[in-house]
Amino acid sequence: HSTMMMRSSRQIVAAAVKRSSLLRRPHAAFQVCSYRGDSGEMHQNLSEKEQNLLNIAMPRSDAIMERHVRFPKLDEIPVASLGPTEKVGDAALELQVRQKRLIYRAKQRGWLEVDLLLGTWANKNVLTLSPQELDDFEAFVNMDTIDIYNIVTLRMDVPLELQTKEGNGIVERIQEWARGHPLGKADPATYEAVKKENNLI
């Protein structure tokens, strides 16, 4: 999924700056970058010039990421894309567009288990969520797919910002729903039926 591909945008930009600089320097192949254990987070050994280039590039990278994860307002959608009775600035239409995009984003993760679990839940519940609950669900689907999977399957805790004192926040409700094995237990026929019922294929 594109969100997964963008999870390390800062490292990608830094690496690009590093590569462009190394191409202009002799013996570039002998440059060494250090890594931090098994976390995959890279410590970049950047020169002052490279750091300055990175400082210039990062605001653009952050803007691209912000644009990638947020939902567009209606005034950003071409009028030609609206129906004959739809108007820019219509709050109800904007909510409808947001709900449809959240459902689509939930069921098109590129990972079958998450597509089935998150997509099925979204298809059944997103249209009934309050504005605050939509915000929380949007924050959840903007997470990396592997983290979503680990949270839904109880391998990771719910992020603090998405937890509630009552334990009934959006993500906590998704976890509770998933505990009931809503898709069956390793049953291909059940998976196939769920995919068809929730338009996941």
Side-chain angles (χ1 to χ4, degrees), residues 7 18 29 33 35 97 100 102 113 125 128 138 152 156 186:
R7 76 176 295 182
K18 186 75 176 177
C33 287
Y35 292 82
V97 169
K100 287 181 177 179
L102 276 169
E113 291 86 345
N125 294 278
T128 66
E138 181 177 336
V152 169
M156 282 175 57

Side-chain angles (χ1 to χ4, degrees), residues 58-160:
M58 282 316 306
R60 175 61 177 162
S61 173
D62 291 341
I64 292 173
M65 174 60 85
E66 188 274 336
R67 175 92 183 189
H68 170 72
V69 299
R70 73 175 172 82
F71 288 86
K73 300 294 184 182
L74 282 183
D75 57 9
E76 298 174 332
I77 299 176
V79 175
S81 297
L82 301 177
T85 62
E86 298 173 338
K87 297 180 180 179
V88 171
D90 185 336
L93 177 59
E94 191 163 292
L95 174 61
Q96 185 181 55
V97 169
R98 186 185 188 199
Q99 290 170 332
K100 287 181 177 179
R101 290 187 179 214
L102 276 169
I103 292 172
Y104 179 83
R105 189 174 288 180
K107 66 184 184 181
Q108 297 292 335
R109 308 297 307 190
W111 189 341
L112 178 61
E113 291 86 345
V114 180
D115 290 350
L116 288 170
L117 284 168
L118 195 62
T120 299
W121 190 92
N123 200 53
K124 294 178 180 294
N125 294 278
V126 161
L127 297 182
T128 66
L129 299 182
S130 69
Q132 180 58 56
E133 290 171 335
L134 283 174
D135 288 344
D136 290 344
F137 187 66
E138 181 177 336
F140 186 50
V141 300
N142 282 338
M143 295 178 65
D144 295 320
T145 300
I146 188 171
D147 292 335
I148 291 174
Y149 176 78
N150 285 332
I151 291 170
V152 169
T153 57
L154 308 178
R155 290 173 171 83
M156 282 175 57
D157 293 333
V158 177
L160 290 176

Side-chain angles (χ1 to χ4, degrees), residues 10 32 65 84 139 157 183:
R10 292 181 180 273
V32 177
M65 174 60 85
D157 293 333
L183 308 183

Side-chain angles (χ1 to χ4, degrees), residues 14-76:
V17 170
K18 186 75 176 177
R19 282 197 301 272
S20 64
S21 177
L22 292 180
L23 288 173
R24 296 190 295 270
R25 293 210 303 260
H27 311 299
F30 298 100
Q31 296 289 326
V32 177
C33 287
S34 57
Y35 292 82
R36 186 171 58 200
D38 295 327
S39 69
E41 297 293 337
M42 184 166 56
H43 287 299
Q44 297 289 341
N45 298 321
L46 300 179
S47 68
E48 181 178 355
K49 180 179 179 180
E50 291 165 344
Q51 185 61 53
N52 289 337
L53 289 172
L54 180 61
N55 293 339
I56 294 172
M58 282 316 306
R60 175 61 177 162
S61 173
D62 291 341
I64 292 173
M65 174 60 85
E66 188 274 336
R67 175 92 183 189
H68 170 72
V69 299
R70 73 175 172 82
F71 288 86
K73 300 294 184 182
L74 282 183
D75 57 9
E76 298 174 332

